Amino acid sequence: MSFICQRHSQTENTLAADRLQERSNASNEFAFLRIRTRQRAVPFPGMKLDNAPFPTSVKPMPSITLTRFLIEEQRAGRINADLRLLIEVVARACKVISIAVGKGALGGVLGDATASGGDGASVNVQGEAQKKLDVLSNEILLEANAWGGHLAGIASEEMDTSQPIPDIYPRGNYLLLFDPLDGSSNIDVNISVGTIFSVLRCPEGVTRAQDADFLQPGTAQVAAGYAVYGSSTMLVLTVGHGTHAFTLDREVGSFMLTTRGMRIPEETREFAINMSNHRHWDKPMQAYIDALLAGKSGPRGRDFNMRWVGSMVADVHRILSRGGVFLYPWDRKEPGKPGKLRLMYEANPMALLVEQAGGAASTGRERLLELQPDALHQRVAVILGSKNEVAQAEAYYREADTRTAACER
Ligand code: FBP
């Protein structure tokens, strides 16, 4: 058997082949050679890769694409064709956004978007300066989802009101909400950002959806997910039967299933919160976090570690991958707002993904997914992640409320 390795001289190859011949009883001879040469082997003509044995050190590429996964979900009766195609369209838009984000300064997409009149930065309905990539990602998602025929309306963090599907296109039975680019403060500094989306059913009889049609509790979501644009681009998805992770294979251009059924450990020693807001939090939150910071010598009797990326997608992805608790509580910097994060297209989709992975999601006082929304861009306090840790945080609020109630009697 002759084998040509591009990088090694003829002698080295012959030597390697001889040694291989020597070890011809090693059934894994092909793999053996690859380990020795530390190089991806180039099979000689006629040899089929798929029956070539792989050594344990190199895992074969996952072969379940997002398309196949969704078709199998449909075959299992868990989703219908329309929802499958809608999710595929959103995933494709995320691939386009991933390319734009990946280009960074080379693509001229960094920095603030200019207001349409050309003077100063453009500001969204939340009063936040819009980044160029916020606006671009919003347009990419709108364009991709307008003509598909699956939707009756779209709502976005970057748009004041929901947008009905243009009359020229057929309409469908679903409503799509998204935060086109989450983690705006990290866009220009090359830290992971992402896209978060949520899918609801359009109420019976409604063809031209209005804002009010979107105001459904998180439990009504039929699908939710996010794409995270980090060292690799990943898509994390639930259609109500577990939470699954896909990694974008840039060579093939497909999302490949890399984790089926993500599970969040119930216990954790890691918390994520913007500590600089500590003095602005209410007493129960300050007491809960102080107990974590007190570590072994404190009421929790063990040490906790802290992480804060400042992009919800990245912080929640870490928690779905290895556990932890993510908190963005009420603070008195803006006392009139229940929290910073938006219920409909940040908190609700993340809460469904976390619960479907065995975690919990709360406002501190109630299950987040049961909140009845009253506005498209309403904000909410968020505590989500490892079930027992969320329960710990809730206990501080319950205790404080019981004490307050006792005092008021
Ligand atoms: P947007 O970037 O989409 O507005 O999202 C809000 C967000 O960036 C979250 O991703 C993140 O968890 C949080 O705000 C960070 O807040 P802070 O800047 O206070 O740390």
Side-chain angles (χ1 to χ4, degrees), residues 109-111 131 133-134 181 183-191 193:
V109 292
L110 301 185
K131 296 283 182 184
L133 273 169
D134 282 326
L181 208 67
S184 309
S185 60
N186 284 327
I187 291 175
D188 295 348
V189 289
N190 200 14
I191 292 173
V193 292

Side-chain angles (χ1 to χ4, degrees), residues 219-233:
T219 46
Q221 293 175 96
V222 290
Y226 63 78
V228 55
Y229 312 118
S231 42
S232 66
T233 289

